[in-house]
Amino acid sequence: MPAASLRLAAAAAAAVMALLLSPAAVVVDSAGQHDYGDALLKSILFFEGQRSGRLPPDQRLRWRGDSGLHDGAAAGVDLTGGYYDAGDNVKFGFPMAFTTTLMSWGLIDFGRSFGRHKEEARKAVRWATDYLMKTTAKPNTVYVQVGDAFRDHACWERPEDMDTPRTVYKVDPSHPGSDVAAETAAALAAGSIVFRDADPAYSKRLLDRAISVFEFADRYRGPYSSSLRAAVCPCYCDYSGYKDELLWGAAWLHKASRRREYREYIKKNEVVLGASDAINEFGWDNKHAGINVLISKEVLMGKDEYFQSFRVNADNFMCTLLPGISNHPQIQYSPGGLLFKVGSSNMQHVTSLSFLLLAYSNYLSHAGARVSCGGGGAASPVQLRRVAKRQVDYILGDNPLRMSYMVGYGARFPRRIHHRGSSIPSVAAHPARIGCRAGAAYYASAAPNPNLLVGAVVGGPSDATDAFPDARAAFQQSEPTTYINAPLMGLLAYFSAHPNPAEWADD
């Protein structure tokens, strides 16, 4: 590259880094900062709007009603409960398990910061773990989906009215699904840590089940996308393969059980299962960056020097998120400072990668360590934390459009989200059934949704220019998902307790 081009690239990277590390540009209250506690409350409340099954008496989003009360009956099993993944009425096990793992991780690392919202967050986790226990009750079997995605997506119905087939899909020894099974094991193991003190008996049941589900995932190897391609693709195909989930599941079982066998499993399979592959990815499909950050804590706390390679991988990943710090390939940021990856539902990347930034910054702080980016480049824990906070603040309204991407937070937020239950009048407002085709009128309407799905964070800006169409049809931008909100809970909890960067004295 010519010297002039190098200078321009360096200047651009420095400008982005300055933007990411600068205080928020938009003052939203008299204290000059966001109400992270209010946003945390709303991010938890969102999960009540995604509930399937019989709703409890303390349900706060009252426009929702009971749904899916016979899920699993056709297969002779009880699969009621759990969460709808997004704006449809299907229960997809793979993203639901990842959602559960990330909600739990937030509580494990930042539990004290949840304050008075900790019990509400635990309830959100339990709604998922109770369901996952049902899906894994039969040995060597995991029920991974309820609902025919294609039939469901052809209708625009409230979950309370849905009459599309509630087909049940499972993985078993003849139809393996190591990816979804190992992620389910990770979710149960992480959940067992969440309930270790609050409900020891329940915690033990979760851990015991996690162990058996992981054994099944490891013994009968194969991707569920091959076994159930017609059902799970293209919605939740596992494009990255199942090997990352096996390492991820083992890492969580090691953390939850402290059994040496899981340490040895990771050690034996680190290379075989590709621990260092695609280190700049983390989400419901690809766990590599998460594995490296999670296991790095063992190294940074001085508990296991053998895993030093994971620490190196985690450092390298962090460097990809910090423009101007190193020569590592960089993740793109929009002009307004939003982390941006090509594809749909960009906010899933924003929240999950920001969570890793925050978690790793805390591990580094406790160890008195810094990120090494090679070539003399380095970053402090505070720098990582500032980048994470900048992403959260962008979501909450510090962006070129001056709008919050969380429904119900701030004066301006998305009003026409791609969500069936939110966009159709509630049963209380319209008791008569609204069928599959009748709902199309509400989908096509330009009117705001009648029911606020409080706390829902949508997919966000449609390209690297910070543009956002507030339109139901633009589902890649306007649809909320559980796996956008799950990592955000931990982020909001931390910043509600530590909102002032000037007090982060661990550089």
Side-chain angles (χ1 to χ4, degrees):
M1 183 181 291
S5 297
L6 284 172
R7 287 194 295 272
L8 286 172
V16 171
M17 195 62 185
L19 176 62
L20 295 176
L21 298 181
S22 66
V26 180
V27 176
V28 295
D29 63 20
S30 58
Q33 64 189 31
H34 287 284
D35 188 342
Y36 300 107
D38 180 55
L40 171 60
L41 168 63
K42 287 170 177 170
S43 73
I44 298 170
L45 196 59
F46 158 74
F47 286 94
E48 293 192 14
Q50 297 302 110
R51 284 172 170 170
S52 180
R54 192 172 301 282
L55 303 184
D58 62 355
Q59 170 81 10
R60 290 171 292 181
L61 288 189
R62 306 300 294 180
W63 54 267
R64 276 297 322 280
D66 299 340
S67 62
L69 298 182
H70 303 290
D71 282 357
V77 290
D78 175 12
L79 296 177
T80 56
Y83 291 116
Y84 303 117
D85 72 302
D88 53 27
N89 300 322
V90 182
K91 292 190 296 199
F92 294 99
F94 198 16
M96 196 191 308
F98 177 72
T99 292
T100 309
T101 308
L102 266 290
M103 283 197 291
S104 296
W105 196 354
L107 277 163
I108 292 164
D109 277 21
F110 309 112
R112 291 183 180 179
S113 297
F114 276 81
R116 61 191 178 90
H117 301 303
K118 187 173 184 179
E119 182 55 32
E120 298 168 4
R122 273 202 298 248
K123 284 182 179 179
V125 172
R126 185 152 188 164
W127 194 268
T129 53
D130 281 352
Y131 175 77
L132 294 178
M133 288 292 278
K134 292 179 179 182
T135 68
T136 56
K138 184 178 179 180
N140 290 330
T141 301
V142 180
Y143 291 94
V144 300
Q145 185 172 313
V146 179
D148 182 320
F150 297 96
R151 295 284 294 276
D152 178 272
H153 290 178
C155 287
W156 198 258
E157 289 181 301
R158 303 178 294 204
E160 296 83 3
D161 287 335
M162 63 177 168
D163 53 3
T164 51
R166 302 301 287 169
T167 312
V168 172
Y169 302 91
K170 66 180 180 179
V171 294
D172 57 26
S174 300
H175 310 86
S178 299
D179 33 28
V180 65
E183 181 62 66
T184 301
L188 293 168
S192 76
I193 302 173
V194 169
F195 293 100
R196 184 176 288 162
D197 296 327
D199 191 338
Y202 183 64
S203 171
K204 184 179 185 303
R205 291 198 301 274
L206 292 176
L207 182 56
D208 289 345
R209 184 65 58 79
I211 291 169
S212 64
V213 173
F214 183 78
E215 289 175 354
F216 161 66
D218 190 41
R219 182 179 299 117
Y220 302 100
R221 293 191 179 187
Y224 93 136
S225 300
S226 294
S227 299
L228 298 172
R229 174 165 293 275
V232 304
C233 295
C235 297
Y236 290 105
C237 274
D238 185 4
Y239 298 102
S240 70
Y242 63 83
K243 293 179 179 179
D244 54 325
E245 276 82 25
L246 288 175
L247 276 175
W248 177 244
W252 276 106
L253 278 161
H254 180 249
K255 185 175 180 67
S257 70
R258 308 309 302 176
R259 290 188 183 182
R260 186 176 182 82
E261 65 189 88
Y262 297 110
R263 177 189 182 279
E264 295 304 313
Y265 182 96
I266 297 168
K267 181 177 178 181
K268 177 182 177 182
N269 290 286
E270 176 185 359
V271 175
V272 175
L273 296 180
S276 63
D277 293 350
I279 59 172
N280 66 338
E281 292 286 347
F282 183 57
W284 61 263
D285 180 25
N286 194 317
K287 311 305 187 308
H288 283 99
I291 293 165
N292 290 318
V293 169
L294 182 65
I295 296 178
S296 290
K297 185 178 182 181
E298 300 283 312
V299 180
L300 289 164
M301 297 298 104
K303 295 180 180 179
D304 205 322
E305 279 299 315
Y306 172 78
F307 291 136
Q308 186 64 39
S309 61
F310 290 89
R311 162 81 196 278
V312 173
N313 292 338
D315 272 11
N316 289 340
F317 161 70
M318 295 298 155
C319 296
T320 69
L321 303 179
L322 302 172
I325 298 294
S326 74
N327 293 324
H328 285 76
Q330 298 295 311
I331 285 179
Q332 184 179 2
Y333 287 88
S334 73
L338 182 68
L339 184 153
F340 186 81
K341 292 177 75 71
V342 175
S344 63
S345 192
N346 183 59
M347 287 302 184
Q348 66 177 304
H349 306 299
V350 174
T351 59
S352 61
L353 297 182
S354 295
F355 180 86
L356 292 187
L357 279 164
L358 181 62
Y360 199 57
S361 75
N362 276 14
Y363 303 158
L364 291 167
S365 292
H366 291 307
R370 294 166 68 87
V371 171
S372 175
C373 292
S380 71
V382 164
Q383 285 177 287
L384 303 187
R385 210 166 291 148
R386 283 182 179 273
V387 174
K389 184 176 183 294
R390 181 70 187 89
Q391 298 306 299
V392 172
D393 289 346
Y394 186 107
I395 291 171
L396 297 182
D398 296 355
N399 56 64
L401 297 184
R402 301 298 194 265
M403 70 178 294
S404 161
Y405 288 102
M406 175 183 283
V407 174
Y409 180 86
R412 185 181 177 210
F413 52 82
R415 298 281 181 171
R416 299 163 187 83
I417 68 173
H418 184 95
H419 190 279
R420 287 157 175 77
S422 171
S423 64
I424 301 174
S426 68
V427 173
H430 190 293
R433 181 178 175 279
I434 300 173
C436 172
R437 302 304 177 194
Y442 299 100
Y443 172 80
S445 170
N449 289 7
N451 309 309
L452 281 186
L453 184 57
V454 176
V457 177
V458 297
S462 55
D463 55 30
T465 65
D466 300 290
F468 175 74
D470 185 6
R472 259 172 240 109
F475 67 90
Q476 298 96 333
Q477 295 83 43
S478 65
E479 187 171 21
T481 70
T482 58
Y483 45 89
I484 293 176
N485 271 61
L488 185 61
M489 284 169 51
L491 287 158
L492 291 169
Y494 180 84
F495 292 123
S496 69
H498 308 278
N500 188 0
E503 298 173 0
W504 303 342
D506 57 8
D507 267 317

